[in-house]
Amino acid sequence: MSRTASTLYASPTDVATYGEYTIRQDPADPRPLYRFAGRLTADGSSGYRAEPGRYHLYSGWFCPWAQRVTLQLALHGLDDVISVSYVDNSRDARGWAFRETNGPDPVNGFLLLRDAYEATEPGFDGHVSVPTLWDRETRRVVSNDFVTLGIDIATQFGAWSTGADTYPEHLRVEIAELDAWIGPAINRGAHRATRDDAARAALLDAFARLDTRLADAHHLVGGQLTEADLRLWVSLVRYRGRAHDLDRLPPLSDYPNLWAYARRLYQLPAFQATTDVRTFADAAALLPGWNTPPAA
Ligand SMILES: N[C@@H](CCC(=O)N[C@@H](CS)C(=O)NCC(=O)O)C(=O)O
């Protein structure tokens, strides 16, 4: 029997009925709210062997943390090895859901992403977040930790990868050093910069540092595309994306080397294919020129 559209999709986002999405933290429960951090391993020692067809990534076009993972997949040509689908771009208290906008859940037919967590841990009350990696074999959520997901995809699927190494061992220390200041100032700080002077100062200081660093380099470390570039770029493309940000933050083009770097990366097919600007930026806020490659 074929399923009708109404059984494949959640009802429309309805904050008036369901309320806003929030997380309740039970003070008596010591477990972290992000509690799925299973690791994928080439030799299977973690219980989750890296293999084709076994895993499914629930992603969200709007989400920078999820895009880091879809970017890793695209850069390594692993789109057919780990399947991907996208939750709807809006949510109510039920959390992320599958709707017509971005299609159904092709693996489990769940209507809500919450159902994947509930199937893994009955009564689950933590974050229902993207990215979420699902294992078809054990029928459970493996991980919703974007850092280790990205690293495992970059390092454990070498047998199927068609791309260059984005997390080479000799650059890992430098990648971590960059993360220590780019993470708080840009990747986690940019959204506060419109209303918090300290966050704004930290953001613009980090942009200035990067602009100097990129004066004679096309990548952040090692002269090659790495995890460090992925982590930063997903934040740059979302920077100043809302019309109400325009008079509070300078355009990226005020930092010519950083702006050229961002546009250069956007020329790569993997960056284009994993970016849907309409899900995180207002048309009025779009900085002209993103599609124009910088002069060599
Ligand atoms: N901190 C998360 C980042 C992912 C994240 O915050 N995703 C957002 C969308 S951009 C989300 O789904 N939030 C729902 C939640 O965290 O409850 C992680 O460790 O993976």
Side-chain angles (χ1 to χ4, degrees):
M1 193 176 71
S2 68
R3 302 182 72 179
T4 62
S6 61
T7 62
L8 284 174
Y9 293 120
S11 61
T13 306
D14 184 353
V15 173
T17 302
Y18 295 101
E20 298 277 359
Y21 175 80
T22 51
I23 292 293
R24 297 176 310 278
Q25 178 139 40
D26 175 357
D29 187 343
R31 295 173 304 168
L33 286 174
Y34 289 97
R35 51 182 169 260
F36 299 103
R39 303 299 301 263
L40 306 175
T41 41
D43 64 5
S45 55
S46 62
Y48 297 110
R49 182 185 297 276
E51 49 190 303
R54 177 165 172 182
Y55 303 100
H56 181 78
L57 182 74
Y58 292 114
S59 188
W61 288 104
F62 48 85
C63 180
W65 318 107
Q67 189 181 4
R68 290 172 167 193
V69 182
T70 54
L71 252 175
Q72 285 287 10
L73 289 175
L75 282 167
H76 288 91
L78 294 171
D79 314 62
D80 291 335
V81 170
I82 296 182
S83 54
V84 182
S85 63
Y86 295 86
V87 297
D88 189 24
N89 306 321
S90 69
R91 67 182 163 185
D92 52 36
R94 295 173 292 173
W96 301 119
F98 299 94
R99 300 196 177 87
E100 284 85 341
T101 339
N102 294 325
D105 168 4
V107 177
N108 295 301
F110 292 144
L111 306 190
L112 303 174
L113 184 57
R114 177 179 298 284
D115 298 340
Y117 287 80
E118 181 66 32
T120 307
E121 183 186 304
F124 176 78
D125 60 355
H127 289 259
V128 175
S129 64
V130 288
T132 294
L133 191 80
W134 175 264
D135 178 16
R136 289 182 173 87
E137 194 173 303
T138 57
R139 296 195 42 77
R140 54 182 290 124
V141 170
V142 178
S143 173
N144 62 345
D145 179 73
F146 70 86
V147 176
T148 48
L149 273 175
I151 288 173
D152 292 349
I153 287 167
T155 58
Q156 303 300 310
F157 285 80
W160 301 276
S161 171
T162 56
D165 188 357
T166 49
Y167 196 57
E169 270 190 64
H170 69 286
L171 297 176
R172 291 180 191 174
V173 169
E174 219 180 329
I175 291 171
E177 282 167 5
L178 280 174
D179 216 36
W181 57 272
I182 294 177
I186 302 178
N187 302 332
R188 294 190 299 281
H191 69 282
R192 284 197 315 274
T194 52
R195 51 194 153 79
D196 173 333
D197 286 346
R200 183 178 194 280
L203 176 74
L204 302 189
D205 179 58
F207 279 173
R209 261 175 99 174
L210 288 169
D211 201 51
T212 304
R213 187 180 182 105
L214 293 165
D216 50 13
H218 283 193
H219 300 99
L220 287 177
V221 296
Q224 66 171 95
L225 183 68
T226 67
E227 173 79 19
D229 300 300
L230 271 61
R231 291 181 186 178
L232 173 62
W233 191 86
V234 297
S235 299
L236 295 181
V237 77
R238 285 168 178 76
Y239 171 67
R240 204 171 175 262
R242 296 299 180 191
H244 58 75
D245 295 345
L246 293 181
D247 56 353
R248 303 187 198 169
L249 296 169
L252 212 50
S253 52
D254 279 10
Y255 304 88
N257 301 319
L258 184 59
W259 176 224
Y261 160 87
R263 284 179 296 153
R264 207 178 293 115
L265 291 181
Y266 195 41
Q267 295 306 303
L268 301 176
F271 286 71
Q272 299 256 348
T274 58
T275 302
D276 184 350
V277 173
R278 293 163 309 167
T279 64
F280 53 75
D282 300 332
L286 288 179
L287 190 56
W290 263 101
N291 280 322
T292 314

